[in-house]
């Protein structure tokens, strides 16, 4: 028995002992013969490394994953359940069941076949998507990796991995599970990890193994490793981990630095050895892969109301018919055979039963009032709009990053056409998030002579000229754009504060978590940083002569120039003792380091509000002057940080470090305890100065915001920056202008400062709430006064995070909402991610306005998910915002195309498609309804069963789908030129009850024409043998007229008619004739009917006359409406009616129109298949190839299967 087995067996003997963590010792779990396994404590788990037998009683989950929605057994029941959650499908299931009863006048198969077809298509789609997921899962689960078994590395598939196993991962391989990092081939037990699969960030992260485990890198040594890990239970927090390793009679604290997460890959390291902690669905990446709640568009919710209105109409018609049936039925109609002993449903003496039975009969007869193909058609249209139009739009393709637009869901296309409020982040969304060190303040002196874009914009606003001049020695590289000779090339030694400059530069070079890459030379080195700000600060230190070129987990190497004397260069090593990391709560980062001479220093950098609270007493002059400099930097739109330091005595540090180690070893509330310990040392700081970093505006942001404002969209900026910075950015991007009246609600007032200085938090809260209430009331009264004036000036509101916290309280949020809705723009500064989501929800739920949130970082995710539509920008802060979004774009300026072009077209198309479906089905059903009056409300069908069933599926479905894909009222260029057209979507002009009523009136009129023209002519109509027409002859003629009329009505509503429209309409009418020619030879009741009626003049008169009369009223109405009550787009059509007909061209596949050959190739590569959101809408793109038709337009591109539809609107030249 090995020593490790002896330890285990000895533990078995002590069944009553408890572990220090409150866990029953291993005796209960190992004594499996008792048939009962004691559960582990819910707060943590215990793992025995390299001991499968020891871990077996706990029954940890396996490493196999499954992302499929179904399995073989659950597919049919679960898939059908998903389909019947739709009201329309459930309705048709009920109709199919009713049609199988004796009350039904139609054959059950005619209702079941269309429903089965719809369900089959939907289930096939679900099965295909799930099959793709299954293939992906199988590929991942069967990936091979090396596991330690029998003293050697054995290759096993991922799915066979178990908790506690020792694994070996080589360079560029992915980690198969969440691993405890034990050893690596790099010195000092470090490895480099790329986390792009988790958060989209491509910069490398450093991970460090515990020093006691560095030697276990070979199979011979690793087999000896027998440790016990006590750690937290599986959770979805990617950036936290608490645990302890009990090893060789020592308890070693574990942190996120020792955890390698599944999905990440190993970089710049030959291999690592680790022990499995979490497997399969318990890994952090899988626990983050939870379904995002599906969003439904506002129009879809209104469609539900229309369906309910149709159901009410259906039941109204059935009740009228049932009452009529109860009144009409009588034995005096001897020819009906209603004698004694007839069935109860036809017994004149039981009129209530007759009426009730008639209701069931008529429900099945009038079931076509709800279009069964509506949802399928709309889904097809939306998916095509997303995959072929939005994703392929070269106007939204960013060549620099090779990033096209991406619709991650197809559910919300039309919602893009109704947005009234946009909530935008600033950094990385309005700005480029490409930080450049621009200015600084050291020892009460400002350095840096450049002028920012915002400063230039401010000068231009007052009418002055801007003259830009740079010195010959100005330095400019990525992350550094600084112009001031006083600090360059060692000149700082001649400044009045050289010691402050030296501390400033060392703080920049030491206080960070940046990783250097490449050659250790200033020209070739690259910095991998968690944020662009950090990289810019380290780059600045390099240019000032403090070149950070290497790091290990415990040492930072800095090449310092001109410190001892001018021209002297020396390499200095600083021992890093502790790192107090930055987070959104602390808003600061600190490093405790030891100089080569033994000096202990704490360097700290962070937000001014946080640093100033922790400064030592004294030095009031530098504090005051630096604060003025910070305000000056903020006014110039620069991002600021304060730098400070504190010298530590060995005694103070040792005392504090003990507490730090205890907090770091804690399994419970570790983050909280670490923050509390950090407070003990991050005090009595000495202010060094401040940095100012420029983040320039993205290209096209001002013009985009101006265009969106003209479209009636109100834009709010929600940012964590200071008020001065936010206001100046708002000026630069034309969100605020000098003509606007500004309401500013700030916590930086004398009254609030006095209370803050007293330190009474309760009093501060009361005072701030009263001040905010008073300011809100004052601003609201002023706004109401302004609206009473003739000029009606535009208003803007600026509020900071502290005031917003109280303004969002239940007692004040209504006042805040009323004031905000009266403003053209709102700027919220110093706000937290939670406040961003709260403001979005306030407008979404409080004002019931359609909202859109756009951001690029993880701090924007809650805001993106809170809005009706979330848009992520694939910028410099990873892909977390994109992964949580509904649509993704590369630049803010593309938002105008997404909304004004695609959004408006999608809204117009879906509205027209829905109302047309409503019209054509109501028309068809009302014809049957009028016939019931002539049949004594008996439920006799007017049309043949299959005519009724195929009306929606075959004879009227294709044209409306083509319309939904290709309809355009004006071209994309005119949509951009006249953004006011977008207001029709905000007003919901095309889906109001008034619009529905007009279509309903048209349906009633046309149904009367179809029925009465067809039936009245039967009195004089004769066939070739002299017989008058019977029921099936008349209904066949009426059905022919209905099919022709509703298809022609679609052409009348088209703004742009292409050959596809003609083929769709002509093909549908032709399909009817082909069907009826064959069907009349097979079906007994309509045997040769079409041949008989087509041999008479009556048929041809009806064929031409009835559609003409039926459509005459629509023609007159459309003419009156266009002449006297035109929509905005109709006015634009008239203005540009003589322009070249460019808007008939499809808006996509114009690849080379404004792209270089290299950009065009990148665009084609960006269109390769990729996975979209599996939570809403469609889940996978089909493999795509560019259309060969593109070559006819002079574009060389591979073929794309669905691109045939695109050529429909391309004019041949």
């Amino acid at each position: 028995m090995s020593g490790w087995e002896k330890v285990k067996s000895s533990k078995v003997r002590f069944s009553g002992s408890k572990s220090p963590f409150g866990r029953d010792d291993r005796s209960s779990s190992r004594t499996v013969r008792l048939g009962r396994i004691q559960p582990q404590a819910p707060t943590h788990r215990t793992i025995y490394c390299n001991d499968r037998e020891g871990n077996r009683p706990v029954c940890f989950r396996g490493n196999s994953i499954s992302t499929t929605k179904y399995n073989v057994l659950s597919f049919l029941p679960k898939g059908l359940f998903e389909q019947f959650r739709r009201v329309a499908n459930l309705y048709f299931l009920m109709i199919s069941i009713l049609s199988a009863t004796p009350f039904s006048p139609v054959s059950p198969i005619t209702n079941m076949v269309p429903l089965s077809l719809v369900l089959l298509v939907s289930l096939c789609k679900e099965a295909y998507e799930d099959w793709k997921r299954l293939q992906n899962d199988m590929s991942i689960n069967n990936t091979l990796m090396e596991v330690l078994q029998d003293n050697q590395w054995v290759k096993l598939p991922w799915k066979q991995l178990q908790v506690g196993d020792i694994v070996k991962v080589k360079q560029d391989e992915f980690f198969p599970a969440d691993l405890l990092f034990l050893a690596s081939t790099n010195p000092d037990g470090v490895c480099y990890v790329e986390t792009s699969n988790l958060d989209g960030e491509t910069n490398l992260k450093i991970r460090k193994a515990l020093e006691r485990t560095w030697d276990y890198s070979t199979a011979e040594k690793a087999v000896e490793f027998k440790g016990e890990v006590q750690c937290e239970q599986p959770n979805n927090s990617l950036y936290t981990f608490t645990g302890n390793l009990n090893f060789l009679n020592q308890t070693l604290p574990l942190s996120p630095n020792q955890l390698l997460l599944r999905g990440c890959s190993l970089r710049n390291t030959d291999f690592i050895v680790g022990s499995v902690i979490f497997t399969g669905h318990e890994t952090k990446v899988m626990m983050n892969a939870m379904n995002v709640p599906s969003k439904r568009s506002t129009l879809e919710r209104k469609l539900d109301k229309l369906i309910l209105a149709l159901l009410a109409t259906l039941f109204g018609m059935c009740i009228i018919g049932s009452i009529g049936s109860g009144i009409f039925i009588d034995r005096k109609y001897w020819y009906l055979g209603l004698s004694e002993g007839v069935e109860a449903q036809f017994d004149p003496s039981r009129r209530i039963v007759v009426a009730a039975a008639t209701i069931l009969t008529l429900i099945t007869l009038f079931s076509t009032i709800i279009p069964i193909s509506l949802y399928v058609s709309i889904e097809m249209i939306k998916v095509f709009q997303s995959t072929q139009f939005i994703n392929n739009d070269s106007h939204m393709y960013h060549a620099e990053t090779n990033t096209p637009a991406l619709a991650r869901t197809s559910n919300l296309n039309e919602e893009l056409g109704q947005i009234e409020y946009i909530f935008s982040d600033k950094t990385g969304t309005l700005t480029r998030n490409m930080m450049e060190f621009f200015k600084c303040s050291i020892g009460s002196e400002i350095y840096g002579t450049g002028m920012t874009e915002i400063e230039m914009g401010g000068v231009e606003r007052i009418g002055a000229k801007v003259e830009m001049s740079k010195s010959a020695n100005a330095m400019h590289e990525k992350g550094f754009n600084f112009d001031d000779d006083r600090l360059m090339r060692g000149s700082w030694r001649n400044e009045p504060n050289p010691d402050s400059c030296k501390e400033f530069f060392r703080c920049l070079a030491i206080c960070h978590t940046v990783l250097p890459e490449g050659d250790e030379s200033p020209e070739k080195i690259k910095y991998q940083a968690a944020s662009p700000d950090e990289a810019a600060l380290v780059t600045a230190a390099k240019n000032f002569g403090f070149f950070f070129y290497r790091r290990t987990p415990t040492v930072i190497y800095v090449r310092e120039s001109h410190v001892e004397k001018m021209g002297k260069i020396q390499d200095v090593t600083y021992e890093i003792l502790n790192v107090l990391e930055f987070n959104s709560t602390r808003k600061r980062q600190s490093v405790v380091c030891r100089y080569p001479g033994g000096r202990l220093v704490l360097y700290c950098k962070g937000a001014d509000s946080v640093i100033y609270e922790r400064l030592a007493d004294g030095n009031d002059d530098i504090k005051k002057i630096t604060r003025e400099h910070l305000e000056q930097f903020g006014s110039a739109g620069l991002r600021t940080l304060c730098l400070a330091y504190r010298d530590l005595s060995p005694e103070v540090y040792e005392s504090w470090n003990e507490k730090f180690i205890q907090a770091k070893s804690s399994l419970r509330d570790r983050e909280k305890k670490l923050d509390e310990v950090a407070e003990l040392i991050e005090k009595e700081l000495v202010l060094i100065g401040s940095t100012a970093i420029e983040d320039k505006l993205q290209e096209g942001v001002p013009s985009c915001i101006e265009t969106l404002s003209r479209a009636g969209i109100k834009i709010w900026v929600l940012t964590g920056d200071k008020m001065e910075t936010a206001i100046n950015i708002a000026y630069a991007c034309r969100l605020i202008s000098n003509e606007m009246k500004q309401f500013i609600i700030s916590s930086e007032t004398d009254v609030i400062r006095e209370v803050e200085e007293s330190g009474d938090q309760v009093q501060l809260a009361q005072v701030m709430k009263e001040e905010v209430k008073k300011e809100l009331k004052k601003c609201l009264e002023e706004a109401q006064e302004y609206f009473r004036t003739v000029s009606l000036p535009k208003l803007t509101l600026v509020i900071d995070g502290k005031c917003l916290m109280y303004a969002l309280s239940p007692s004040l949020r209504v006042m805040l909402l009323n004031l905000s809705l009266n403003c053209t723009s709102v700027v919220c500064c110093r706000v937290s991610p939670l406040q961003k989501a709260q403001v979005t929800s306030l407008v979404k739920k409080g004002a019931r306005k359609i909202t859109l949130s756009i951001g690029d970082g993880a701090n924007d995710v809650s805001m993106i998910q809170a809005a009706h539509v979330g848009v992520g920008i694939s910028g410099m802060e990873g892909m977390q915002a994109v992964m949580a979004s509904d649509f993704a774009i590369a630049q803010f300026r593309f938002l105008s195309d997404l909304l004004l072009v695609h959004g408006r077209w999608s809204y117009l198309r879906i509205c027209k498609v829905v109302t047309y479906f409503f019209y054509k089905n109501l028309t068809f059903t009302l014809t049957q309804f009028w016939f019931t009056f002539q049949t004594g409300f008996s439920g006799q069908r007017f049309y043949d069963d299959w005519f009724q069933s195929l009306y929606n599926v075959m004879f009227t479905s294709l044209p409306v789908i083509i319309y939904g894909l290709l309809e355009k009222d004006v071209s994309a260029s005119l949509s951009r030129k006249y953004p006011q057209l977008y207001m029709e979507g905000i007003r919901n002009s095309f889906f109001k009850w008034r619009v529905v009523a007009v279509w309903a009136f048209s349906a009633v009129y046309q149904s009367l024409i179809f029925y009465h023209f067809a039936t009245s002519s039967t009195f004089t109509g004769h066939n070739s043998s002299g017989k008058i027409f019977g029921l099936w002859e008349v209904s066949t003629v009426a059905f022919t007229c209905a099919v022709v009329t509703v298809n022609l009505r679609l052409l009348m509503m088209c703004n742009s008619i292409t050959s596809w429209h003609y083929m769709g309409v002509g093909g549908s009418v032709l399909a009817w004739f082909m069907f009826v020619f064959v069907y009349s030879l097979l079906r007994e009741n309509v045997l040769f009917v079409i041949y008989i009626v087509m041999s008479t003049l009556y048929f041809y008169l009806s064929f031409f006359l009835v559609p003409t009369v039926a459509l005459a009223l629509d023609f007159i109405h459309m003419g009156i409406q266009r002449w006297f009550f035109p929509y905005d787009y109709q006015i634009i059509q008239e203005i540009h009616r003589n322009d070249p007909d460019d808007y008939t061209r499809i808006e996509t596949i114009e690849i080379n129109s404004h792209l270089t050959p290299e950009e065009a190739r990148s665009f084609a590569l960006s269109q390769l298949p990729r996975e979209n959101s599996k939570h809403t809408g469609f889940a996978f793109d089909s493999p795509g190839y560019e259309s060969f038709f593109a070559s006819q337009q002079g574009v060389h591109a591979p073929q794309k299967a669905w691109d045939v539809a695109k050529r429909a609107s391309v004019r041949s030249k």
Side-chain angles (χ1 to χ4, degrees), residues 390-406 428 431-432 434 697-700 873-876 888-894 897 1151 1154-1156 1158-1167 1170:
I390 294 178
N391 292 359
N392 288 350
D393 188 353
S394 58
H395 291 283
M396 294 194 292
Y397 167 68
H398 192 232
E400 185 178 333
T401 58
N402 186 28
T403 308
L406 174 63
T431 60
R432 298 180 186 178
M434 296 176 64
L697 286 176
Q698 285 185 17
E699 179 187 349
I873 288 187
S874 48
M876 306 291 290
I889 53 178
Q891 296 276 288
F892 183 88
R893 69 178 186 272
F894 297 152
D897 269 347
I1151 299 175
H1154 62 286
L1155 302 180
T1156 64
E1158 292 77 11
E1159 293 171 347
R1161 180 177 179 276
S1162 296
F1163 179 82
L1165 290 175
S1166 73
Q1167 300 304 306
R1170 55 190 178 276

Side-chain angles (χ1 to χ4, degrees), residues 247-262:
F247 180 58
L248 300 179
N249 299 319
Q250 283 187 313
T251 299
L252 307 173
L254 301 175
S255 72
N257 281 329
Q258 285 84 49
L259 191 67
L260 306 175
L261 300 182
R262 177 181 178 132

Side-chain angles (χ1 to χ4, degrees), residues 278 523 843 962:
F278 302 127
E523 297 79 17
V843 177
I962 292 174

